Amino acid sequence: MSRGKKLYEGKAKILYEGPEPGTLIQHFKDDATAFNAKKKATLEGKGVLNNRISEHVMGHLTRMGIPNHFIKRLNMREQLVHQVEIIPLEVVIRNVAAGSIAKRFGLDEGEELPRTIVEFYYKDDALDDPMVSEDHITAFGWASHGELDEMVAMSLRVNDICSGLFAAVGIRLIDFKLEFGRQFDEDQLTRVILADEISPDNCRLWDMATNEKMDKDRFRRDLGNVTEAYAEVARRLGIMKENQVLTDTNEAGK
Ligand code: TMP
C-alpha cells in the first residue's frame, strides 16, 4: 500500500496521506510523553501494542454501531483510517476518581464517582490543554451545540461498551480520553465520528483483582514494566497469545 507524504507528527503518532482521497495512514511510534511532553522516553514495542489494541477496540465499536475513523490495520505499526477534521477537544470520561480529578477535588484515587463525569479540555499544548466548559466551546466556535451533544452521547456509549469489553477480561475502565473529528461527504455535509486511538496510552486500566495499573500511569509515575503491562492488556483481550511477543517483523501478528 502506498504511503503518501507526512501530514502531521504528534507525540505518539504520525499521519501520512493515504492511498485514496479521504484516507490517512496512522503510524504508531514507540515514543511516550507525559505532562505535556516535559517527560519523554522511547518504550520499545509500545507502538506495535497500541496499534493492535486500538484496532481491537475500534473494530468492536464499529460492530456496536459507533462511527469511527478506523478502516483496517495495514501492518504492525500502521492502520488505514478515514480523514477527518479534528475537533480541538479532548473529551475525558471518568467512572472512578483518579489523576487530575482526584487532585482537583481532593478525592481518593479509586473512589467510585457518584455518576460518570464527562469533561472537555481544549487541545493546545502552549496553554497546557486547559479544561473548558460547554459555553467556552460553543462561544469560541470549537464545536457547535449539535456536535457537542453528539460527542457526549457517543462518549457515554463508548464508555458502556468499553467498560464491558474490559470488565469481561478482568480490567476496570477507570477513565479515558477520546477525540472526535468531522468527516465530510461529497456534498460537504459533515458528521462527527470518533478518531485518534483507544489504547493504554489514553485510558486508565486497573486490574480488577489487584488494582494494579495497566496503563500509561506506569510511565507517568515511574512504576516500571510499562510495555509489559500493555502486553498483558493485549493478552487478556485475546490479541496476543500467552508467550507471544509482538515485534515489527513478527509475521504472526500481521
Ligand atoms: P487526567 O486525570 O490526567 O486528567 O487524565 C484523564 C484521562 O485522560 C486518563 O485516562 C489519561 C487521559 N489523558 C490523555 O489521554 N492525554 C492527556 O494529555 C491527558 C492529560 C490525559
Side-chain angles (χ1 to χ4, degrees):
M1 172 133 347
S2 62
R3 183 162 91 180
K5 71 167 190 279
K6 193 197 274 191
L7 298 177
Y8 171 81
E9 179 155 5
K11 286 175 278 206
K13 295 189 293 293
I14 306 173
L15 291 173
Y16 296 94
E17 266 174 1
E20 314 280 345
T23 65
L24 298 178
I25 291 173
Q26 178 167 257
H27 175 104
F28 289 76
K29 301 193 285 185
D30 283 343
D31 297 346
T33 67
F35 314 117
N36 200 5
K38 287 181 204 68
K39 177 172 178 157
K40 287 186 197 170
T42 303
L43 304 170
E44 204 190 323
K46 178 179 80 85
V48 170
L49 287 159
N50 282 353
N51 186 22
R52 297 296 297 261
I53 294 170
S54 199
E55 169 194 23
H56 184 86
V57 177
M58 291 289 191
H60 187 67
L61 290 174
T62 301
R63 290 188 291 278
M64 299 298 282
I66 304 286
N68 68 76
H69 76 159
F70 179 80
I71 302 171
K72 66 172 182 180
R73 186 168 59 83
L74 299 173
N75 55 49
M76 295 305 278
R77 286 202 181 258
E78 292 174 332
Q79 42 185 250
L80 186 67
V81 300
H82 292 292
Q83 182 166 28
V84 295
E85 176 185 87
I86 285 286
I87 294 171
L89 296 172
E90 301 203 337
V91 183
V92 170
I93 300 92
R94 301 180 187 272
N95 299 307
V96 174
S100 67
I101 199 173
K103 200 167 164 198
R104 186 175 305 120
F105 300 116
L107 306 173
D108 289 330
E109 281 217 319
E111 205 178 299
E112 196 81 35
L113 294 167
R115 62 175 170 80
T116 298
I117 291 173
V118 179
E119 299 171 343
F120 303 98
Y121 295 83
Y122 179 51
K123 264 170 76 73
D124 187 323
D125 282 344
L127 299 175
D128 245 343
D129 297 349
M131 192 177 186
V132 292
S133 72
E134 299 204 9
D135 221 23
H136 294 133
I137 294 167
T138 51
F140 290 119
W142 299 322
S144 68
H145 284 287
E147 288 173 334
L148 259 179
D149 287 348
E150 281 183 59
M151 284 190 276
V152 171
M154 262 194 265
S155 296
L156 294 174
R157 283 206 64 212
V158 171
N159 185 42
D160 286 344
I161 295 165
C162 289
S163 293
L165 182 76
F166 286 115
V169 297
I171 296 174
R172 217 168 147 206
L173 180 60
I174 304 295
D175 58 31
F176 59 102
K177 183 264 294 181
L178 297 177
E179 294 187 25
F180 294 88
R182 299 181 185 100
Q183 190 184 20
F184 295 85
D185 69 14
E186 312 80 56
D187 303 320
Q188 294 301 300
L189 292 172
T190 66
R191 65 168 188 161
V192 174
I193 66 173
L194 181 62
D196 195 45
E197 70 180 295
I198 300 184
S199 75
D201 263 11
N202 46 35
C203 299
R204 283 198 174 90
L205 303 168
W206 293 5
D207 182 283
M208 253 177 193
T210 64
N211 279 341
E212 201 183 333
K213 298 184 199 317
M214 305 174 75
D215 57 66
K216 196 169 144 188
D217 269 350
R218 300 203 70 84
F219 169 69
R220 295 188 190 97
R221 303 180 188 193
D222 295 321
L223 300 173
N225 296 328
V226 185
T227 48
E228 288 81 355
Y230 286 34
E232 176 61 17
V233 172
R235 248 177 245 121
R236 293 211 196 165
L237 290 171
I239 298 166
M240 260 167 80
K241 294 191 197 72
E242 206 47 51
N243 296 314
Q244 194 185 355
V245 181
L246 291 179
T247 64
D248 294 273
T249 51
N250 184 344
E251 282 301 312
K254 265 216 156 173

